[in-house]
Amino acid sequence: MKRRDFTKNIIAGTGLATLPSIAKASENTAHSNTTAQPAFKLKYAPHFGMFENSAGKDEIDQLKFMHEMGFRALEDNGMMGRSPELQTKIGDTMAKLGMSMGVFVIDGGENWKTSLTTGKQVHKDVFVNTCKKALETAKRCNAKYMTIVPGYFERNLPMGLQTANVIDAFRRGAEIFEPHGLVMVMEPLSDNADLFLRHSDQSYLICKAVNSPSCKILFDMWHMQRNEGRMTQHIDWVWDEIAYFQIGDEPGRKEPTTGEVNYKSLFKHIHEKAKATNRGEFIFGMEHGNSVAGKEGEMKVIEAYRVSDIS
């Protein structure tokens, strides 16, 4: 099932003395002589299009601009739809820049219209074949994490059977990725009540049942704020199965500081917990829009992450 079918002031005193040079950089493309900004403490991952007013429409120029602004990761939900040549070029450029590849979506295409919850063999076959294609994409762009979603709730089947069907399908996918050290990250979503996977504890149960290092949780903090709230508590409860985070303030699904979520506190909590449990660095996908259009809005996104980054 195509994931896109599911998902249709405070800068004073924060060390942003580099803002004039950021503004100067925004007037040029990424390959021009811009002033590089210090790297963020955490690996925030913008997506293509987020800075195209500043960097231009070329993906490689955008990637270079992201690096110059201090970002050290990228996520690209649509990577599987890009040409193999561009996938390789993106991967090679990130390697040269010292950037990490975040998630892309395991996209089954137009024929994958129904859900893994049904248990139908035809849908499991499409899922497995798409995982095999995703493996090749991951190799080209140096990705480790790939987003998966199980689909819609099947009203004609008991919840336990649906859960078993999803576990069975995800085990098949994990068998493909585990020998290569790659990780499917399942994402609970909030977009409508018909979605099967909506909560972190439900995702935790499925991960434990699949029992593979290649099947983990993508904890999208925008979706989880809408579905659950109490994010610090829920993160702690399912901590050992989380492999990836995504960001979006609520309401609006824009950059941090535009809504009710205290991202500075959440980033600090995650960072300190990761150190205490020897989890290493997480990638934080910036899966949100810009609250203000144009170059001004792009600078506001950078400012928001400077404000919210850990000390």
Side-chain angles (χ1 to χ4, degrees):
M1 179 170 292
K2 299 188 76 175
R3 184 174 178 276
R4 64 173 175 266
D5 291 339
F6 294 155
T7 58
K8 306 265 176 190
N9 96 1
I10 56 175
I11 64 173
T14 58
L16 288 179
T18 57
L19 281 179
S21 56
I22 293 178
K24 179 179 182 296
S26 72
E27 297 172 357
N28 304 282
T29 57
H31 56 267
S32 300
N33 293 323
T34 58
T35 302
Q37 304 304 310
F40 289 98
K41 300 288 187 8
L42 300 183
K43 282 192 174 182
Y44 307 115
H47 53 80
F48 290 126
M50 181 167 272
F51 300 115
E52 68 176 22
N53 290 287
S54 298
K57 293 189 178 296
D58 180 79
E59 290 88 353
I60 302 304
D61 280 347
Q62 291 182 47
L63 193 56
K64 291 177 180 178
F65 180 83
M66 294 170 192
H67 181 269
E68 288 169 354
M69 294 300 101
F71 298 102
R72 293 297 180 262
L74 167 81
E75 74 171 27
D76 181 28
N77 285 342
M79 183 67 80
M80 285 189 72
R82 302 188 186 279
S83 69
E85 293 76 18
L86 183 55
Q87 292 169 2
T88 300
K89 190 174 183 181
I90 290 168
D92 289 347
T93 302
M94 283 193 294
K96 291 176 183 176
L97 294 172
M99 297 178 71
S100 299
M101 180 65 205
V103 293
F104 65 85
V105 175
I106 296 180
D107 189 342
E110 292 296 334
N111 293 325
W112 194 5
K113 290 291 187 183
T114 54
S115 177
L116 295 175
T117 59
T118 66
K120 293 180 180 179
Q121 188 62 45
V122 62
H123 303 314
K124 284 193 286 187
D125 289 344
V126 171
F127 175 68
V128 167
N129 289 333
T130 306
C131 286
K132 292 176 180 177
K133 295 176 183 177
L135 173 60
E136 298 308 312
T137 297
K139 290 177 180 177
R140 286 190 286 266
C141 65
N142 299 322
K144 180 176 181 178
Y145 303 103
M146 295 151 288
T147 306
I148 52 172
V149 288
Y152 288 102
F153 185 79
E154 175 53 61
R155 297 185 181 279
N156 296 320
L157 288 177
M159 191 68 173
L161 290 180
Q162 294 182 68
T163 302
N165 290 336
V166 171
I167 291 167
D168 182 58
F170 284 0
R171 282 177 177 168
R172 303 290 82 76
E175 289 170 357
I176 294 167
F177 295 120
E178 192 169 331
H180 305 276
L182 304 183
V183 184
M184 308 179 300
V185 284
M186 71 179 80
E187 182 179 11
L189 302 170
S190 66
D191 301 277
N192 65 68
D194 289 324
L195 295 166
F196 171 78
L197 192 65
R198 294 178 53 82
H199 297 285
S200 56
D201 64 324
Q202 181 189 16
S203 305
Y204 186 80
L205 182 155
I206 293 170
C207 282
K208 291 300 185 185
V210 174
N211 192 28
S212 168
S214 290
C215 184
K216 297 295 179 181
I217 297 171
L218 191 171
F219 197 101
D220 185 314
M221 292 180 276
W222 178 71
H223 286 298
M224 294 300 90
Q225 172 68 2
R226 284 155 56 94
N227 281 352
E228 300 178 337
R230 297 184 68 202
M231 278 197 283
T232 302
Q233 178 66 81
H234 283 93
I235 287 169
D236 287 351
W237 277 338
V238 303
W239 175 256
D240 61 325
E241 297 295 342
I242 296 175
Y244 195 95
F245 289 91
Q246 284 180 329
I247 303 161
D249 216 336
E250 169 63 19
R253 201 175 192 179
K254 306 301 182 184
E255 69 269 17
T257 75
T258 58
E260 66 192 16
V261 179
N262 187 344
Y263 270 107
K264 188 172 185 65
S265 175
L266 285 171
F267 292 153
K268 182 175 184 288
H269 179 77
I270 294 166
H271 175 69
E272 291 179 350
K273 192 172 183 68
K275 285 199 303 182
T277 56
N278 295 315
R279 291 294 306 275
E281 288 186 294
F282 284 98
I283 297 175
F284 296 82
M286 296 162 58
E287 197 183 39
H288 57 74
N290 299 358
S291 63
V292 176
K295 289 184 180 181
E296 178 188 357
E298 293 172 2
M299 295 303 103
K300 285 181 71 66
V301 168
I302 297 169
E303 293 165 12
Y305 279 90
R306 290 292 174 195
V307 169
S308 303
D309 198 21
I310 62 171
S311 302

